[in-house]
Amino acid sequence: MFLKTDFKFKKFELDTVDESVFSTDFDDSDWRVVRIPHDWGIEGDFSADNDATVNQIIEDGMTKPQVITGWTGGLPMVGAGVYRKWVKIEKTDKVFLEFDGVMWNSRIYINGKLAGQNHFGYKSFSVDITDFVNFDKENLIAVYAEVRENSGRWYSGAGIYRNIRLVSKPEKHIAYNGIWVRQTYADKGLAILDISAELVNVSGFTAKITSPNGETFEYTTEDDAILAEIKNPMLWDIDEPNLYTVEITLENGYSETVRFGIRMCEFTKQGFFLNGRYLKMNGVCMHHDLGAIGAAVNKSALKRQIEIMKGMGVNAWRTSHNPPAPELLELCDEMGLVVMDEFFDEWRLQKVKNGYAQTYDDFVKQDVIDIIKRDRNHPSVIMWSTGNEVREQIDDNGWKEARTLYDLVKATDPTRPVTNGLSHYPACYTKYMAFYTDIVGLNYKPHTYGDDLKKYPEKMFLGSETASCISSRGIYHFPAEIEIADKRWDDLAISDYGLMAPPWAYYAEREIAAQKDFPQVMGEFIWTGFDYLGEPTPYYTNWPSRSSYFGVVDLAGLPKNRYYLYRSVWTDIPTLHIFPHWNWENKIGENVPVHIYTNYDEVELFVNGKSQGKRTFAEKKAEFADKKEEWQNQVERFRLIWNDVVYEPGEITAVAYKNGKEAERKTIKTAGEPYEIRLLAYKESILADGEDLNYITAQIVDKDGNLCPNADNRITFTADKAEVYATDAGDQRETETFLRADKKAMSGMLVAVVRSDKQGNATIIATADGLISGIITFECK
């Protein structure tokens, strides 16, 4: 059973926790009551003092140590936390606590005695508590968790941030994550499955397979494995994510069930093929935080992220840079995404003082095995990544570590290829690490694809991390020019023209062009799908910047302009997206470039009814006068640009043509003064379980319903039969805690995160001084 409610919690300073807090007679009556999953770091206000440090981030091109703020989000996650809960445990042979993740170092106490511990915050683990339990009585479960400064390069969250289960088993049982449905062969006519179980104190089992349409197959063995044949299998695919289940039953009646999928994955020098069909991976890298609710896992929030990403054509996910929550993989199985499952951000050579490198030598081999055993039944997981930009790439002996991990992965799961996010070029080849991968994962190397394909014809390639274009939703700087530099602005924002990137990276179109020009490269994983907490490049030293600018979507889940670039390239959804907004009171008579993302053939632009001319996409040029001309050509292959538009209030209209005929038109009008609040609900109904979330977007509009793109009014949300849990405008510079019901809008919008434990119709009201209030109702069931 899940343990979720009635945990007593208290946060302490590091190295101040007395052992008495784990005892059964300790008085915790003045401690807070929290719900699991729980992230204590997200609960506080942002402050530079929370994570200010002197560091040199080699991966970001820093040549010397600097005073850095906001690196891990500027939130109060550093510290120690203790959770206490009393649970009555009925008599059984064996009892375990299964943790999906506790950040970072953890110890588990039962009735005051240490029963187990874990060193890696992203790892799932099980603790046998049988010998510590007083059966048929109340037992104290106490969990200690600590997060030290410099334990990661982004916001990790803190505490019991993933789910816990109390699991009872008989003496004869199946080990933790002990079932494996290993696909040994599959085509459209036949699948052969090697189904094994790690059995404890017993041999033999019965396997009952149930197909997606309810058909069942049953097999029995006296051993620990069977071969099962499935004729005409219903294949798992991104468009039809068919899922089977297998129930393993022992002689004593004990059983466990896992889901799996049958699919044909072919990794070739011509690209990736899923079930015989060429599939370019349109992927995103994603950290695990969920914006305003922090790192505490929430399935409905994860589902929303996936839905938003799929809306722009995403079909692949990289769990950068550590193992994900099980819920993410469950959703990828159900919703049809392929996954690069990544293990570590660092190996033995440390990037941060208190990161994984401290425990690497003692635990890495067992960690790799445990991670694979947990995730190997997920059909969405198609490859393992052993690391990201590890510093061993440039070490003369780094290849030995790569070889050790490669061999370990292959011994544990020979059915999936191994990759690695390689950033040092050409050191990843000259120091040989690239040769201990099946697929060479290249970070930010679109300009090398052509040479690599020629030099290493035996290898397969993937853009494992790409773009790192940076922007702030709805904010613009002029001139609108390509900037590949560590450039900063006084407002600590980045222009939403989507033309800026830090020195190691580039605008989005550069990778899109390379992927089009080299179809053998299996695809790309954009850095990143959503903004995330921490790594506020390029404003590491400019508080209050405290979260990333890399996302195609902001931290609140609101799309930036680049979202429509990818949608226009990656999908067939008719797309006609104009930017910037048309409220430029201080630029009347001055130039305001207009850009359009579209997948139509041709577009004509009008300003107040006057044509500014038609545009079609540029052809790929063979030769260039200089680097800037090459960059501009790449951009104009995928966006239409009118650089000579003179601003005058009114409206701009884009008319799109397909096969010479008008197909669609869009208009942006100069908005008047803010007048009222318009509310939009992400879902029409939610479960009244206190966990299912709805996202209510408030838009500040004028009398005619036009979005006011510069409005930053403070909006207050109130709720009936619901709780406003958090608010966020996606502003990378906001320092108020997320966990409040009011906040200033950015670029005319603000999002409220709402939940309920009451059935009925919930009503949300949004108010702001001088504006007509917004109201919306949705069902809680």
Side-chain angles (χ1 to χ4, degrees):
M1 68 174 179
F2 284 97
L3 301 180
K4 287 185 172 291
T5 59
D6 300 323
F7 278 83
K8 291 292 190 74
F9 170 76
K10 186 173 182 179
K11 183 185 175 185
F12 298 82
E13 296 295 321
L14 286 168
D15 304 317
T16 65
V17 176
D18 188 275
E19 289 291 312
S20 64
V21 301
F22 308 117
S23 69
T24 56
D25 57 1
F26 181 82
D27 181 8
D28 60 11
S29 59
D30 62 342
W31 287 23
R32 292 170 50 206
V33 178
V34 299
R35 183 185 182 98
I36 304 299
H38 173 248
D39 172 12
W40 77 61
I42 203 67
E43 297 171 343
D45 286 316
F46 295 89
S47 170
D49 295 334
N50 285 328
D51 64 357
T53 184
V54 177
N55 216 317
Q56 179 183 356
I57 309 172
I58 295 174
E59 290 68 32
D60 290 0
M62 290 187 184
T63 57
K64 61 183 180 180
Q66 300 182 43
V67 177
I68 299 169
T69 57
W71 190 24
T72 56
L75 284 161
M77 69 178 186
V78 172
V82 178
Y83 299 81
R84 291 168 51 95
K85 179 179 174 65
W86 288 91
V87 179
K88 185 175 182 180
I89 301 176
E90 305 294 338
K91 177 62 179 173
T92 187
D93 292 334
K94 305 288 290 184
V95 61
F96 301 86
L97 280 174
E98 295 179 356
F99 294 85
D100 289 340
V102 182
M103 191 63 70
W104 178 267
N105 297 304
S106 58
R107 302 195 299 268
I108 291 59
Y109 295 82
I110 305 298
N111 297 322
K113 296 180 179 179
L114 181 64
Q117 52 192 326
N118 186 54
H119 60 284
F120 184 25
Y122 294 93
K123 179 182 172 180
S124 298
F125 61 99
S126 176
V127 178
D128 184 346
I129 64 172
T130 308
D131 294 340
F132 303 90
V133 168
N134 298 316
F135 287 109
D136 299 323
K137 296 181 180 179
E138 294 284 324
N139 292 265
L140 174 66
I141 298 171
V143 178
Y144 170 86
E146 70 173 24
V147 178
R148 294 192 172 270
E149 66 281 354
N150 288 319
S151 58
R153 297 192 298 123
W154 55 85
Y155 179 77
S156 67
I160 308 177
Y161 74 113
R162 292 178 180 170
N163 278 303
I164 312 173
R165 288 172 298 279
L166 181 68
V167 179
S168 298
K169 296 184 179 183
E171 283 288 347
K172 298 177 180 180
H173 60 270
I174 301 168
Y176 176 61
N177 292 327
I179 298 173
W180 187 14
V181 182
R182 175 176 169 180
Q183 185 176 298
T184 59
Y185 175 82
D187 66 15
K188 294 180 181 179
L190 177 66
I192 300 176
L193 308 174
D194 178 349
I195 303 174
S196 61
E198 188 178 341
L199 305 176
V200 180
N201 299 320
V202 67
S203 61
F205 62 84
T206 296
K208 181 181 178 182
I209 300 172
T210 303
S211 74
N213 61 10
E215 188 178 5
T216 60
F217 313 88
E218 195 165 296
Y219 302 84
T220 299
T221 179
E222 296 181 358
D223 200 350
D224 61 358
I226 60 166
L227 282 180
E229 291 188 358
I230 307 294
K231 294 181 179 179
N232 301 315
M234 300 177 68
L235 298 180
W236 182 92
D237 207 311
I238 60 171
D239 298 321
E240 293 185 63
N242 292 307
L243 293 169
Y244 287 75
T245 63
V246 60
E247 181 182 23
I248 304 295
T249 303
L250 308 184
E251 61 182 22
N252 58 0
Y254 177 79
S255 67
E256 292 186 13
T257 299
V258 298
R259 294 194 307 182
F260 66 95
I262 300 170
R263 75 283 193 274
M264 299 180 290
C265 293
E266 299 174 86
F267 299 87
T268 77
K269 297 180 184 64
Q270 287 72 48
F272 172 60
F273 293 80
L274 180 61
N275 300 327
R277 186 182 80 257
Y278 174 84
L279 181 69
K280 185 72 111 169
M281 294 183 206
N282 300 330
V284 287
C285 301
M286 291 285 285
H287 279 321
H288 70 287
D289 79 69
L290 294 167
I293 66 172
V297 68
N298 181 282
K299 196 166 184 176
S300 65
L302 284 169
K303 185 177 181 182
R304 174 178 176 257
Q305 283 191 335
I306 293 173
E307 288 171 341
I308 291 171
M309 291 291 93
K310 283 176 69 73
M312 74 173 196
V314 167
N315 60 25
W317 204 274
R318 181 189 182 202
T319 69
S320 46
H321 299 294
N322 295 107
E327 289 85 352
L328 174 69
L329 297 182
E330 291 168 6
L331 287 166
C332 290
D333 289 346
E334 295 166 2
M335 300 172 71
L337 290 174
V338 296
V339 175
M340 179 198 297
D341 198 333
E342 192 155 75
F343 300 159
F344 311 115
D345 186 48
E346 65 180 23
W347 293 351
R348 183 178 290 112
L349 300 181
Q350 68 178 30
K351 298 179 182 178
V352 291
K353 179 181 176 182
N354 291 308
Y356 185 74
Q358 286 195 323
T359 57
Y360 182 89
D361 286 331
D362 293 331
F363 293 105
V364 65
K365 292 183 179 179
Q366 190 59 52
D367 286 346
V368 168
I369 292 169
D370 291 345
I371 292 166
I372 291 174
K373 286 175 67 175
R374 191 199 72 170
D375 294 348
R376 61 192 173 182
N377 290 311
H378 291 282
S380 57
V381 176
I382 63 168
M383 67 180 82
W384 306 111
S385 172
T386 54
N388 169 67
E389 298 182 353
V390 294
R391 293 184 176 177
E392 280 80 355
Q393 290 175 82
I394 55 176
D395 184 78
D396 287 340
N397 292 310
W399 65 272
K400 296 178 182 178
E401 212 57 56
R403 180 188 64 185
T404 297
L405 292 179
Y406 178 87
D407 290 345
L408 178 61
V409 173
K410 286 300 188 181
T412 309
D413 176 16
T415 70
R416 292 176 172 91
V418 175
T419 190
N420 192 306
L422 302 171
S423 55
H424 288 283
Y425 191 95
C428 62
Y429 295 112
T430 59
K431 303 287 186 182
Y432 306 113
M433 186 172 287
F435 301 108
Y436 292 96
T437 63
D438 299 306
I439 302 168
V440 179
L442 294 172
N443 288 8
Y444 309 106
K445 299 296 181 289
H447 51 288
T448 74
Y449 292 159
D451 288 343
D452 289 347
L453 287 164
K454 293 176 183 177
K455 287 181 182 178
Y456 309 105
E458 75 286 358
K459 299 301 292 183
M460 298 179 288
F461 296 92
L462 177 71
S464 44
E465 189 170 313
T466 66
S468 273
C469 183
I470 47 181
S471 61
S472 301
R473 177 186 54 80
I475 296 175
Y476 299 91
H477 297 135
F478 300 94
E481 295 178 345
I482 297 170
E483 294 280 357
I484 309 298
D486 191 16
K487 187 172 181 179
R488 307 179 186 197
W489 282 266
D490 291 341
D491 64 358
L492 303 188
I494 304 289
S495 178
D496 207 10
Y497 273 110
L499 292 169
M500 184 174 176
W504 72 86
Y506 41 87
Y507 46 90
E509 288 92 343
R510 188 176 186 185
E511 184 73 34
I512 292 171
Q515 293 289 332
K516 292 283 187 184
D517 296 342
F518 299 102
Q520 311 96 307
V521 178
M522 293 181 182
E524 67 163 311
F525 290 82
I526 306 163
W527 193 264
T528 54
F530 272 59
D531 277 343
Y532 56 92
L533 291 163
E535 289 195 311
T537 307
Y539 299 114
Y540 282 120
T541 58
N542 301 83
W543 186 258
S545 182
R546 47 71 169 163
S547 60
S548 88
Y549 297 75
F550 296 114
V552 178
V553 170
D554 73 15
L555 202 65
L558 301 172
K560 304 177 188 178
N561 289 322
R562 276 179 288 136
Y563 184 90
Y564 300 95
L565 165 64
Y566 289 106
R567 195 177 85 167
S568 71
V569 175
W570 284 354
T571 80
D572 294 326
I573 301 170
T575 299
L576 182 63
H577 180 74
I578 319 169
F579 59 100
H581 59 74
W582 210 238
N583 275 64
W584 300 103
E585 295 83 357
N586 297 326
K587 293 183 72 66
I588 293 175
E590 298 180 22
N591 174 255
V592 175
V594 176
H595 292 205
I596 289 178
Y597 294 135
T598 186
N599 45 19
Y600 290 108
D601 302 335
E602 186 178 40
V603 175
E604 186 172 9
L605 181 69
F606 295 86
V607 177
N608 293 330
K610 182 179 179 181
S611 177
Q612 307 296 302
K614 292 183 178 181
R615 296 283 190 275
T616 57
F617 293 109
E619 298 291 331
K620 177 188 177 183
K621 292 180 67 174
E623 297 181 3
F624 303 94
D626 54 33
K627 185 64 69 176
K628 193 148 190 175
E629 183 184 26
E630 180 183 5
W631 293 352
Q632 192 67 32
N633 177 251
Q634 289 169 338
V635 166
E636 292 181 5
R637 287 174 62 186
F638 302 99
R639 75 167 85 184
L640 305 178
I641 300 174
W642 286 259
N643 274 323
D644 52 355
V645 176
V646 175
Y647 176 73
E648 57 184 59
E651 64 181 39
I652 55 174
T653 298
V655 179
Y657 298 89
K658 187 171 184 178
N659 299 323
K661 297 181 179 180
E662 181 178 330
E664 185 179 354
R665 63 172 59 207
K666 287 269 181 77
T667 297
I668 297 177
K669 296 182 179 181
T670 303
E673 292 298 312
Y675 178 72
E676 66 178 324
I677 301 171
R678 179 169 59 206
L679 296 185
L680 305 171
Y682 187 74
K683 295 190 286 192
E684 293 181 355
S685 66
I686 63 172
L687 298 176
D689 61 0
E691 290 193 2
D692 197 11
L693 302 178
N694 208 349
Y695 289 78
I696 309 299
T697 300
Q699 298 179 335
I700 299 171
V701 298
D702 68 8
K703 284 186 176 182
D704 298 319
N706 298 305
L707 179 71
C708 298
N710 298 314
D712 62 356
N713 306 61
R714 178 171 290 275
I715 298 174
T716 300
F717 293 91
T718 56
D720 178 53
K721 289 191 176 178
E723 174 195 5
V724 179
Y725 178 59
T727 51
D728 184 19
D731 189 342
Q732 296 109 336
R733 309 153 297 177
E734 172 62 63
T735 58
E736 291 180 331
T737 179
F738 290 121
L739 303 188
R740 57 187 296 154
D742 69 302
K743 196 172 269 87
K744 291 179 69 174
M746 185 183 82
S747 301
M749 290 194 275
L750 176 68
V751 174
V753 185
V754 178
R755 62 188 180 185
S756 178
D757 57 7
K758 302 179 179 67
Q759 292 188 342
N761 289 327
T763 300
I764 309 297
I765 301 174
T767 61
D769 289 347
L771 301 182
I772 296 175
S773 300
I775 185 169
I776 198 167
T777 301
F778 60 89
E779 184 183 9
C780 303
K781 58 185 181 180

